[in-house]
């Protein structure tokens, strides 16, 4: 294909040059994600010529409204010989002697059958059904393809199949880029102001900040932002003291491992470098797992209930089991006076970027992103797989960095 002129924004450039089998751009409205997708699609057509590719949209109306104008603009600016064949629903590219077949998700993937393809591009993937998404990626199977990618873009829409498959799983074969509406300097400032006027705080996190949030409730860790708080831990073993937040459950036993950072000029106080999940386990198993990872020269912050009972033995407490494995520094409040106070302490650290998480601490990250509050202010524990890491972290933070409330008899003297 002839040379195409384009000056991508940083998030578009990062996605464009990725060679991962799966590339996703999760971004707010107006961030340029569909523009990137079309440029990337034309690049894949050139790289894989003369083999055909595919473009999946939620429906044909959205293809004509969102994608076709960008295709026409690129074609006219670069004198490309690209024609949209409405009858066959495909783009015909003379330069590559190939086609890009246009698919839609209106029948949940039933019509995405037929051709073997070299690549697949998916617009607004977060509102594409899982059957439609799966059917589309199954078409990418031409052995001779030079770059057999599946690339997609979308705006966060709750914890759907895209989140579960590509965010929660932390796949090695996928490159996921996040961007905000405000990362696009070419949109008018009034556009963002209109969004702010139209949406509440939760929707703004999804549709402007490009964050996955639960759109049906209030997040417990509302200050958590994956883009800000998930970064590879830069510290080496032995440099800092290790703190371990612990939550006792038979299934799963859980813990998050932190470095207590003491000399970071940016203000980071804690950096989670790993997490532990043990299914059908007891406190002995958890103690062995912690000891194996970090030894006993660390500080444990267990569930306060562990002072009065054990997950398996009524005659031995969880705390005494930890002590029997050589852990000497065990800190906890005998009673948590307020879950809200604990969460306030955690959200305070998050809002100051004082606590960070390495991608290896994946279960802790998922908890911070997904756990919600019930109407009474308590954490919703209806999902048995979630809340355990959040519980341990909030208790640890509340112990070491509590929110100090003014006493009722304090006053300001003028």
């Amino acid at each position: 294909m002839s040379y195409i002129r384009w000056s991508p924004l940083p998030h578009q450039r990062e996605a464009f040059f990725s060679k991962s089998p799966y590339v996703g751009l999760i971004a707010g409205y107006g961030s340029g994600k569909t523009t990137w997708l079309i440029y990337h699609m034309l690049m894949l057509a050139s790289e894989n010529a003369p083999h055909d590719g595919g473009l999946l949209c939620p429906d044909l109306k959205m293809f004509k409204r969102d994608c076709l104008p960008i295709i026409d603009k690129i074609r006219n600016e670069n004198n490309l010989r690209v024609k949209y064949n409405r009858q066959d629903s495909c783009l015909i590219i003379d330069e590559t002697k190939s086609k890009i077949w246009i698919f839609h998700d209106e029948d949940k993937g039933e019509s995405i059958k037929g051709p073997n393809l070299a690549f697949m591009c998916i617009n607004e993937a977060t509102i594409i059904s899982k059957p439609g998404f799966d059917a589309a990626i199954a078409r990418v199977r031409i052995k001779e393809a030079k770059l057999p990618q599946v690339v997609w873009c979308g705006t966060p829409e709750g914890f759907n199949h895209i989140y579960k498959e590509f965010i929660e799983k932390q796949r090695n074969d996928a490159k996921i880029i996040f961007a905000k509406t405000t990362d696009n300097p070419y949109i008018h400032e009034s556009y963002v102001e209109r969004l702010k006027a139209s949406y509440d705080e939760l929707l703004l996190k999804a549709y402007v900040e490009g964050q996955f949030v639960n759109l049906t409730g209030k997040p417990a860790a509302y200050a958590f932002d994956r883009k800000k708080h998930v970064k590879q831990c830069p510290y080496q073993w032995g440099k800092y003291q290790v703190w371990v937040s612990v939550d006792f459950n038979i299934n799963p036993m859980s813990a998050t491992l932190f470095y207590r950072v003491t000399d970071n000029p940016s203000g980071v106080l804690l950096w989670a470098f790993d997490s532990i999940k043990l299914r059908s386990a007891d406190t002995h198993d958890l103690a062995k797992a912690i000891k194996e990872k970090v030894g006993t020269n660390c500080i444990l912050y267990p569930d306060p209930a562990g002072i009065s009972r054990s997950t398996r033995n009524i005659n031995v407490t969880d705390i005494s089991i930890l002590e029997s494995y050589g852990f000497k520094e065990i800190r906890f409040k005998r009673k948590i006076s307020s879950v809200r106070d604990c969460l306030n302490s955690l959200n305070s650290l998050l809002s100051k970027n004082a606590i960070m998480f390495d991608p290896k601490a994946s279960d802790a990250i998922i908890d911070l992103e997904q756990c919600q509050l019930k109407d009474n202010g308590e954490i919703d524990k209806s999902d048995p797989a979630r809340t355990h890491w959040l519980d341990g972290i909030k208790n640890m933070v509340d112990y070491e960095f509590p929110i100090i409330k003014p006493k009722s008899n304090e006053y300001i003297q003028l």
Side-chain angles (χ1 to χ4, degrees), residues 122-188:
I122 305 175
N123 191 42
E124 301 297 349
T126 49
I127 58 175
I128 295 285
S129 70
K130 188 177 188 306
F133 189 92
D134 291 343
I137 66 176
R139 308 314 308 168
V140 182
R141 54 192 185 186
I142 291 181
K143 185 176 182 179
E144 295 78 15
K146 293 181 181 178
L147 187 55
Q149 282 188 322
V150 174
V151 298
W152 49 267
C153 66
T155 301
E157 293 288 346
F159 301 114
N160 57 12
H161 65 95
I162 291 292
Y163 175 90
K164 292 176 181 177
E165 187 63 34
F166 293 99
I167 310 301
E168 185 173 309
K169 286 187 178 180
Q170 299 281 318
R171 292 170 52 155
N172 293 327
D173 62 348
K175 174 69 173 179
I176 309 300
I177 297 96
F178 290 87
K180 304 177 182 178
T181 300
T182 50
D183 289 336
N184 184 355
Y186 300 112
I187 59 173
H188 198 278

Side-chain angles (χ1 to χ4, degrees), residues 333 341 344-345 398-407 410:
K333 292 182 177 180
D341 284 349
N344 285 342
S345 299
D398 181 61
Y399 186 95
E400 295 289 355
F401 308 101
I403 296 292
I404 306 300
K405 294 182 177 181
K407 297 179 181 179
E410 288 181 348

Side-chain angles (χ1 to χ4, degrees), residues 23-233:
V23 181
L25 177 56
I26 297 293
Y29 291 155
S31 57
K33 57 186 182 295
T34 302
T35 297
W36 157 74
L37 186 76
I38 300 305
Y39 274 106
H40 202 107
M41 179 184 73
L42 294 173
M43 180 272 288
L44 288 174
S46 180
E47 287 286 324
N48 292 295
H51 303 296
D52 293 350
L55 172 62
L56 171 63
C57 298
D59 54 50
L60 290 177
K61 181 179 179 180
M62 291 185 72
F63 163 73
K64 294 175 182 178
R65 184 192 69 195
D66 299 340
C67 299
L68 196 54
I70 300 173
I71 294 169
D72 288 340
K73 181 175 183 293
I74 297 172
R75 178 191 62 196
N76 294 334
E77 289 179 349
N78 296 274
N79 297 315
L80 299 179
R81 296 189 301 276
V82 178
K83 185 176 85 171
Y84 172 44
N85 185 319
R86 288 175 171 79
Q87 182 176 350
D88 294 335
S89 194
C90 68
L91 296 168
I92 301 173
I93 307 176
D94 287 350
E95 284 89 348
T96 61
K97 295 180 172 56
S98 64
K99 297 181 178 69
I100 297 175
W101 297 93
I102 311 302
F103 303 105
H104 61 84
D105 189 44
E106 292 170 283
D107 57 3
K108 309 304 180 190
E110 285 299 316
S111 61
I112 310 176
K113 296 177 180 179
N116 295 325
L117 303 175
F119 63 90
M120 178 63 72
C121 300
I122 305 175
N123 191 42
E124 301 297 349
T126 49
I127 58 175
I128 295 285
S129 70
K130 188 177 188 306
F133 189 92
D134 291 343
I137 66 176
R139 308 314 308 168
V140 182
R141 54 192 185 186
I142 291 181
K143 185 176 182 179
E144 295 78 15
K146 293 181 181 178
L147 187 55
Q149 282 188 322
V150 174
V151 298
W152 49 267
C153 66
T155 301
E157 293 288 346
F159 301 114
N160 57 12
H161 65 95
I162 291 292
Y163 175 90
K164 292 176 181 177
E165 187 63 34
F166 293 99
I167 310 301
E168 185 173 309
K169 286 187 178 180
Q170 299 281 318
R171 292 170 52 155
N172 293 327
D173 62 348
K175 174 69 173 179
I176 309 300
I177 297 96
F178 290 87
K180 304 177 182 178
T181 300
T182 50
D183 289 336
N184 184 355
Y186 300 112
I187 59 173
H188 198 278
E189 57 272 13
S190 64
Y191 176 72
V192 177
E193 293 305 316
R194 286 197 298 272
L195 291 178
K196 291 180 178 179
S198 301
Y199 296 129
D200 60 26
E201 180 181 351
L202 197 62
L203 291 177
L204 287 173
K205 281 192 172 185
Y207 298 149
V208 175
E209 299 295 319
Q211 298 180 40
F212 279 100
V213 294
N214 191 324
L215 298 177
T216 61
K218 182 178 179 181
Y222 59 82
F224 178 76
D225 181 340
R226 179 181 285 267
K227 190 173 181 180
K228 289 181 180 178
H229 299 119
V230 179
K231 298 179 180 179
Q232 189 170 2
C233 184

Side-chain angles (χ1 to χ4, degrees), residues 246-248 301-309 317-319 330-337 342 391-392 394-396 398-399:
V246 176
D247 191 56
F248 300 115
Y301 296 85
D303 180 350
I307 193 65
S308 58
R309 56 99 174 106
T317 68
D318 287 318
I319 301 301
I330 302 176
R331 302 177 183 178
F332 59 93
K333 292 182 177 180
R334 291 186 172 270
K335 183 179 180 181
I336 299 297
S337 58
C342 294
D391 274 336
K394 72 173 176 55
N395 293 340
M396 179 188 75
D398 181 61
Y399 186 95

